[in-house]
Amino acid sequence: MDPIKSQISAIDPLNNDPEAEINGAEALSRMLSGPRVFSDTLPAGVASLEGRRSRKVRIAGGLLLGAAAVTAGVLVAANFGPVSSTPAPAVTVTTPEATPTPSVSVTPSPTATPTATPTPDASQVPTPTAPAAITTAPVAPPPVPVATAQTFTFPDGHVSFRYPAGWTVRPEQGPSDGATILDSTGAEVAFMSSGFYGDGTAGLVDRTVLDRAVVPGVTDTAGNQVEFGFSLNYIMNIDYNSGSGGMPTASGRSDSPPVYVMDIRLSSELQSGQTSSGTNQIRMPNGFMIAYVKFDLDKQPTFATPEAAKAWMGSEQYSQLKAMLLSVSYK
């Protein structure tokens, strides 16, 4: 048969020549059971795997060397500037000559012709007088220095005060910065607080102000004046069933012993006569401040009589406590 006709006949779907039909099972059997043929010879024009790897390594090495050369050139140019073939002008280094130190020329005075010096007679030579002996009194111990005030500042840096030498301040831990002041004997004599949260109650008292003075370093947040005060307070009885519309009214002094108060407070809280006991809490920008003297609570009344309290006002302890409270300042 003609070769062309054979090819056309092979692809003709209507040609059912049983001789041209492929036996699939036989072909698969030959593929699985026939001999396997391998070859280590690459086709022409196909590079081996090892060759391709070697070529990549050579290319990478060339690129790395080129990048290093460019980087070195940039660094040289940055540090040494442009390379110029013109030599830089020579710098002549002149060694400075030592500046002669001005010297003082000593011109010898004309030497006098030596002459015989007569030996003075012993009777004519004045007897050297020994310096008068300095009579010193027995060395006394150095005088005791006058007690100077020390300064304590609260950790927040706002409130500070001065206290006598020999006294100590014991910081207290709590919801606010507090400090207990102890005198030279170790007795607790005062308490101060800065940044307190503020609370308390008040009642009616019959107050007598024994001493008062303005504290120059403190005003509250509203600019109100603060004063030092020492007062005698009688607690008043309260009548809650009076005929004044159900309002509680004072009905005379109670049988409780009088209470002595020494602190700093707003001037409005330090009034004489029947008035509110008030509070010694002073509102400051960092919270409330408190400063008061601690009297012995187990000893009531603190002073046997008002006259005894007035006499104590002339003591050194009173002066020290008053000066300490007056020194309180806020910044």
Side-chain angles (χ1 to χ4, degrees):
M1 181 183 294
D2 186 84
I4 296 176
K5 291 182 178 182
S6 298
Q7 293 180 7
I8 294 174
S9 176
I11 62 174
D12 186 1
L14 299 178
N15 184 8
N16 295 323
D17 186 2
E19 296 181 358
E21 188 173 348
I22 300 174
N23 190 337
E26 180 182 355
L28 179 61
S29 176
R30 287 199 306 269
M31 292 174 60
L32 297 178
S33 61
R36 300 181 182 180
V37 180
F38 298 94
S39 175
D40 293 333
T41 302
L42 295 173
V46 179
S48 66
L49 178 61
E50 186 64 28
R52 290 198 298 271
R53 290 178 178 174
S54 177
R55 184 171 179 271
K56 290 181 179 180
V57 169
R58 290 196 300 273
I59 293 174
L63 293 176
L64 180 62
L65 290 176
V70 173
T71 304
V74 173
L75 293 177
V76 170
N79 287 279
F80 297 100
V83 179
S84 175
S85 60
T86 303
V91 178
T92 303
V93 179
T94 303
T95 304
E97 296 182 359
T99 303
T101 303
S103 59
V104 179
S105 299
V106 180
T107 304
S109 302
T111 306
T113 303
T115 57
T117 303
T119 304
D121 185 79
S123 60
Q124 298 177 355
V125 177
T127 304
T129 304
I134 301 175
T135 305
T136 58
V139 179
V144 178
V146 178
T148 57
Q150 308 169 78
T151 300
F152 176 84
T153 302
F154 283 92
D156 61 8
H158 293 296
V159 177
S160 61
F161 62 90
R162 296 189 300 275
Y163 59 99
W167 291 22
T168 56
V169 177
R170 184 182 67 211
E172 307 288 351
Q173 295 182 351
S176 61
D177 290 333
T180 299
I181 298 92
L182 299 86
D183 64 11
S184 56
T185 67
E188 297 181 0
V189 294
F191 178 82
M192 297 192 192
S193 179
S194 173
F196 188 63
Y197 57 86
D199 64 359
T201 58
L204 288 177
V205 297
D206 186 1
R207 177 185 293 131
T208 300
V209 178
L210 302 176
D211 190 14
R212 68 192 306 164
V214 174
V215 180
V218 179
T219 55
D220 71 354
T221 53
N224 295 315
Q225 180 176 274
V226 174
E227 289 190 51
F228 156 83
F230 178 45
S231 62
L232 165 64
N233 301 267
Y234 290 95
I235 300 174
M236 302 298 293
N237 286 322
I238 304 298
D239 183 5
Y240 293 95
N241 299 314
S242 64
S244 58
M247 296 297 293
T249 57
S251 60
R253 296 177 178 177
S254 70
D255 296 333
S256 301
V259 178
Y260 290 87
V261 178
M262 187 174 183
D263 59 12
I264 62 174
R265 59 177 59 200
L266 296 178
S267 300
S268 59
E269 301 286 347
L270 188 62
Q271 303 299 322
S272 295
Q274 292 188 11
T275 181
S276 170
S277 60
T279 177
N280 56 9
Q281 299 177 17
I282 306 169
R283 183 185 292 275
M284 307 302 292
N286 69 324
F288 286 90
M289 180 182 70
I290 299 174
Y292 62 89
V293 171
K294 296 182 70 173
F295 291 121
D296 188 357
L297 296 178
D298 295 332
K299 181 183 178 183
Q300 295 296 336
T302 305
F303 302 98
T305 62
E307 288 70 24
K310 294 177 181 179
W312 178 65
M313 292 170 59
S315 67
E316 180 184 14
Q317 185 187 42
Y318 180 87
S319 299
Q320 291 172 324
L321 291 169
K322 179 178 179 180
M324 181 178 67
L325 293 177
L326 286 174
S327 73
V328 176
S329 63
Y330 183 94
K331 63 179 181 180

